Amino acid sequence: MIKKPKKYSVFSLVRNALSYHENWQPAWRNPEIKKNYDAIIVGGGGHGLTTAYYLAKNHGVRNIAVVEKGWIGGGNTGRNTTIIRSNYLWDQSAALYEHALKLWEGMSQELNYNVMFSQRGVMNVAHNLHDVRELKRRWNANRLNDIDCDWLNTEQVKKFCPVINTSQNIRYPVLGATLQRRAGTARHDAVAWGYARGADAMGVDIIQNCEVTAINVNNGNVTGIETTKGTINSKKIGVVSAGHSSVIAKMAGIKLPLESRPLQALVSEPVKPVIDTVVMSNTIHAYVSQSDKGELVIGAGTDGYNSYTQRGGFNIVEDTIMAIVELFPIFSRMKMLRHWGGIVDICPDASPIISKTHINGLYFNCGWGTGGFKATPGSGWVFAHTIANDQPHKLNAPFSINRFSSGELVDEHGAAAVAH
Amino acid sequence: MLLINCPYCGEREQEEFSCGGEAHIVRPKNPPELSDDQWADYLFLRQNIKGLQYERWNHSFGCRQWFNVARNTATDEILAIYPIGTKPPKIDSNDPITPCGEPQIGSGNFSTSKK
Amino acid sequence: MRLNNNKNINQKKQINFIFDGVKYLGYEGDTLASALLSNGIHLIGRSFKYHRPRGFISAGCEEPNGIIQLENGEYTEPNRRATEVILYDGLIAKSQNRWPSVNFDLGAINDLLAPFFPAGFYYKTFMWPPKFWKTYEHFIRHAAGLGVSPKKEDPHKYEHYHYHCDVVVVGSGVSGLYATKIALAKNLKVLLIEQESEIGGSILSTNKYNNKINGQSQNEWKNKILDELQNSKNIKIVTSTSLFAYMHYNYLLGIQDIDPNKGKRRDNSIRQVLWKIRAKKVILATGSIERPLTFNNNDRPGIMLAGSVSKYLNGYGIELGKKIIIFTNNDSAYQTALDYHHHNIKVSAIIDVRSEVDGDLPTLVKSLGMKIYSGYIISDTSGRKKITSVTIEKFREKYPTNNNTEVLTCDLLCISGGWSPTVHLFTQSRGKLKYRNEDSCFVPYQAHQQTISVGSCNGFFDLKNILEDTYESVKKFLGENNKQIEKIEVYKAEAIKIGKQQNTWLVTGKDKINKSKMFVDFQNDVTAKDIKIALSEGFQSIEHIKRYTTNGMATDQGKTSNVNALGIVSELTGQDISNLGTTTFRLPYTPVTFGAMAGRYVKEFFDIERTTPMHEWHVTNKALFEDVGQWKRAWYYPQNNETLNEAVNREVKATRDSIGILDASTLGKIDIKGRDVSEFLNRVYTNAWSKLEIGKCRYGIMLGDDGMVIDDGVTTRLGEYHYLMTTTTGNAASVMSKLEDWLQTEWPELEVYLTSVTEQYGTISLNGPNSRKIVEFLFPNQNFSNENFPHMSFKKLEIDNVKCRVMRISFTGEICYEINVPSSYALSLWNKCIDIGKEYNITPYGTEAMHVLRAEKGYIIVGQETDGSVTPVDLNMDWIVSKKKYDFVGKRALYRSDTIREDRKQLVGLLTTDPSIVLEEGAQLVEVETSLPMPMVGHVTSSYHSPNLNRSIALALVKSGISKKGTKLIVPMLNKSVEVEITNPVFIDPKNERLLA
């Protein structure tokens, strides 16, 4: 029997404080594994948990297991720099990410769990004429796609983010920026926990420490999975295991256009508020925001080789810090407190795959590369639709695996190489 | 950071090299006769192995020569280096026991190394 | 006045410093912490969440409380651990996270409200009304954070230092020094790294009554061995250097603080050095960190780790209290009692959790008449800004109990919950740990790289074992042939009987957790209650507990709190710690300054600046520059305060009317030789190359195997087997490496050799109807007539014995000669051209005019008209795509179902209905204006005012554009919409009459 979770509020906090916090109930159950499920989601990260949540909520499929190798939210959900935006160039991407952004906007209330979605704006900075042209192209496309976006000149950049170095004498001066004001950051762990709590309340079994070792296929139909906790049967399996997508695909004999790369990030020691927005620069490769705890959150680039070690080269981190110090000379005396790595699976066109496969009942959601966190609710929404109807939602139809054969790629590498 | 033994220059820091991805993918000799799927296979699909992977590296900030490397992508250990155009050597590598599992070395924390 | 001490505190050298506006006195050799403590300052800051008064608990990098804002203005640095700050004259420090002062902090109200801020309370509230989150967040953000970020640019410099050696020894305590000596005996090149400013590690905390090494006090032994080591030519010793990362292949990173007393603190000298070390072998002698005990109100100023109290006494000569109580679960804290005893201060009580205390140290302490409360615990403490008393009661086996309590007064409480080996670097190297239950510590178990751990970081805590283990394991680690090692003096120490440790994670007992404040992570204010709440809410994984409670995530990275949190989880859930595991030990071990990571690679050194041989001329002639990749290209040459548009119009007009000169040296140039070059070009370009004659040039488009345009340029056949390829400026390097890739890995059968000659030649491009006059003057004996030197041909010529390659090719649509000359002559030839050209009003033009000129002619720029999704067919350049060749790179992909679609975006020209409007590059095109979202059919790739046509022109990629010429489209801009017509992209000279004139 599923017990409806007690609602969180100021009142519940006070009530619990008065009873010395003895009466909090688990945010999600630690369930017994059933033999059969209507759907299994492989991967208990943000995308997997939202998939289960929306399968249950939007499609009435409630007999679901989410199987997670480690602890929920322990993969890229808990390792990213939490940037949320929807200012993508191509219509297909813009629509998908904008759908996600709208879900972010109501998420805390929907889940009764404060994910601290903070719409403090994301600035994408231009450093040369090529950047200006590319970013203006994106800005114009965003505008007509009804995605809020402003173009800021150098003075407006300085006004919006006073700590950025807009001197025109630096190696790559700031020539302008796009600004999406509705964009921002969120508390990444809370997203996993909030959706886990919500899914659990609708009957979804969240099974941690359960590693998938094989996918069972019979006559072109998926029948279930083998795990370190035994066989689990289901006719529908959605795989959302970023980093390890290729490894799981191989279990079903599928080859994907993915490469798994280390992606590193770091935070500084916490300080009082100093930067009130998110600044991203593709050209010199720096992006930074400040968390509610006061830490500067900084993302580095991917390494140039495949690796499943969740570690990358320190040279990549150095390059990022050089760019940060270049763009924010006042941060030179700040200190790196904590550094970590994740495994991102990267698609050739820097867009995700949310797709059916040639095996009936087997679905893949992967290839989010370095930017999957922002899509979390939207990704789960459309993937749940795809699994429930065995048909893609109109938002993820362009992200089929078939595009690599047809050539209909959605190239979101941002700025193409400079040349003339 | 890796330390790579360039067969032409000797041990050098990884920063001098660039990785060219999976090795032994031969460009088809008969592209016009291939289907879109077959071309996509050559162009985009990769094994992306967790464990022993054969891959190409280029000493791009050195002698500019390409060579093949056998590396365990689950530990980043380089296990062999061999010339372009030769067959990959047979190697025992410390592959994970389960496909998604971790190899038998420490992981930086205590819990995942027990498996 | 200081007592005798190991650190040689120099009492003759007084140092003035200021803390929170008050002047104090310390001595050379002090840290800020020791100096403050010697002045009786315990209250150093307020805690993160509850603003509780806090004092130092330790003397090292594990310190969670004693963090301050160092200096002010451009020299300020937040969150420095005072225990690590070397004192220097004029130092200014401030306490953090308090208002208005550390003594009276309004934030302390939070302590009273603490019951309402349990772990995870943020997640459960502040949700309504939704719009208010921004307001809530504003206050949360201002409450969070510790110190304050600098507001000014950093005046200091930072260096990177690369070091290669045979052995790195990390840590200079007993085992580190001994290991160094053994390695040196083997004639190995050794680097010894010490985190503190002084060599000695735990030796600094000892006195002459501690256990001896070969009959000498540990400090005497240290001084002697250090003399020996320093005489070796194979050693380098660095102090004040924290090794913070252990990565692949024994790659180690350290951060060195330059002694502030050696230079001026307030200047622009080098402040820190980042060490990048590759070592063949690594010996970790990183010691261990003492754990606090977890009991109610265990966080008051004056409650300190026992080992650290000894360090302040023996190391710095500071008595921290007169009325001292010790609370322990193991023998080591009895040493502190002995240390004070030797200074004639009797510890008033030792509260020991263990009912049986039988080690040698406790026995000695007992024999000296100190009171030991065996089988007792401290259940509470009092004292607002410093501890004044403790409440003790009998340790209970069962809960709840109603023990009698007793209150003991004190001014210092020394606590010890056992020791955790510093295994951070070992685990970063991917070594495996195992859990040792008897003294509850994680010890190294299996190394993955060439490394060993020795001494207390390997789980040995008594001197005899440390010496024996170090000798044996280092000897074995350094390999065969140990004759040299066997010659050195072997060090021994007496055996000491150590009593069994009793692990008591929750001293005050489970039943009282929720009603008490038992701090686990002091800096982040995480209590045992928070951990219990997390568990009851289903956060079972230790990683979840860490994230939910933030335990171990403060600036000390949980050095004193991680193992305690594990123990508490273990006690609350009944699971073995060995089944719980640990959270990941991440780099850095201690925080690392951003500036040090960036090193010298900032400002002018941030990225290489590539300049052409004519760069100085451009500078002298007031060119503005455009960054193209790493190149600085002349953008335009304003005269007399011209605007960009005015200058560009003048440059463009002059070029079409008479002659313009462009520095084209940045174009990539690849010299190609070999028997198979024409076959090679056939494979990498879309068109046919077999019939290109010597002395002729041909334009080529290069595709990726996905069919998309990646580069274009002209290739010239210089000789039978000799070609020169040009590439776009930005893609020169990537094209070169892609071509090498094809040759070496895919087509080794081709005899082709590539050499990049981009920087070997300067390229002067003379454009315009009068360009022929210039070359005729430069090369008087040559015939430049159309018949003799037609478009797309090449001649080897000479000026004053300097060999030149002259191509008649064009990127403007005018007659154009490109002269390639060895770089060292390029500037002189450029000057010569300018001189000769004066009578024709020769006009230097930059990249902006170049763009206009080529756009007037409809020439594309790769990366502007293309974006990785454009095929040559999309560019209406079918003519360059060979139908006859069986294969070339990219061919197959041109026939995929999507690439053969007829409604792809195609290159067209655009003319605005109002000729004065210049469209914005990147503007989007629509057929009809609708409500948002508006379906878009393409975008403007290039757009300029054309002074020759006296109107605006643009290029665009438009859906089915080629078949829609003459159709009108709309460009909806922010404030207005602009009507445009799709046209041919060639606006000037479509019949090439000017080009071929």
Side-chain angles (χ1 to χ4, degrees), chain C residues 435-456:
Chain C
Y435 182 70
R436 193 165 72 191
N437 202 38
E438 56 267 31
D439 50 1
S440 61
C441 59
F442 290 95
V443 292
Y445 170 52
Q446 231 170 34
H448 173 56
Q449 301 196 32
Q450 280 292 316
T451 185
I452 52 166
S453 300
V454 294
S456 68

Side-chain angles (χ1 to χ4, degrees), chain B residues 13 27 33 36 66 78 108, chain C residues 249 705 744 886-887 892:
Chain B
E13 291 291 334
R27 189 172 185 275
E33 284 133 54
D36 283 0
W66 284 89
I78 292 171
Chain C
Y249 290 84
D705 242 338
Q744 287 184 34
Y886 178 70
D887 186 20
R892 175 61 189 82

Side-chain angles (χ1 to χ4, degrees), chain A residues 259 261 304, chain B residues 18-23 46 55-58 66, chain C residues 741:
Chain A
E259 298 206 85
R261 295 283 173 86
Chain B
S18 45
C19 182
E22 190 179 331
R46 296 292 177 264
E55 60 192 17
R56 305 166 340 122
W57 283 81
N58 181 228
W66 284 89
Chain C
D741 187 355

Side-chain angles (χ1 to χ4, degrees), chain C residues 342-356:
Chain C
H342 296 303
H343 288 286
N344 298 320
I345 293 178
K346 214 177 198 171
V347 166
S348 49
I350 297 167
I351 321 295
D352 197 322
V353 177
R354 303 171 295 180
S355 48
E356 229 171 274

Side-chain angles (χ1 to χ4, degrees), chain C residues 838-851:
Chain C
K838 269 189 187 138
E839 68 176 286
Y840 306 105
N841 182 32
I842 192 167
T843 302
Y845 67 92
T847 50
E848 191 66 23
M850 176 187 85
H851 281 198

Side-chain angles (χ1 to χ4, degrees), chain C residues 191-227:
Chain C
L191 174 67
L192 174 62
I193 295 184
E194 169 54 47
Q195 183 178 359
E196 296 198 13
S197 60
E198 197 143 349
I199 293 289
S202 64
I203 297 170
L204 297 175
S205 312
T206 63
N207 62 28
K208 59 187 174 184
Y209 304 101
N210 278 66
N211 203 347
K212 293 188 168 48
I213 301 174
N214 286 13
Q216 311 159 70
S217 82
Q218 292 184 32
N219 204 43
E220 284 164 3
W221 177 84
K222 177 204 85 183
N223 290 333
K224 223 173 106 194
I225 197 170
L226 195 56
D227 276 349

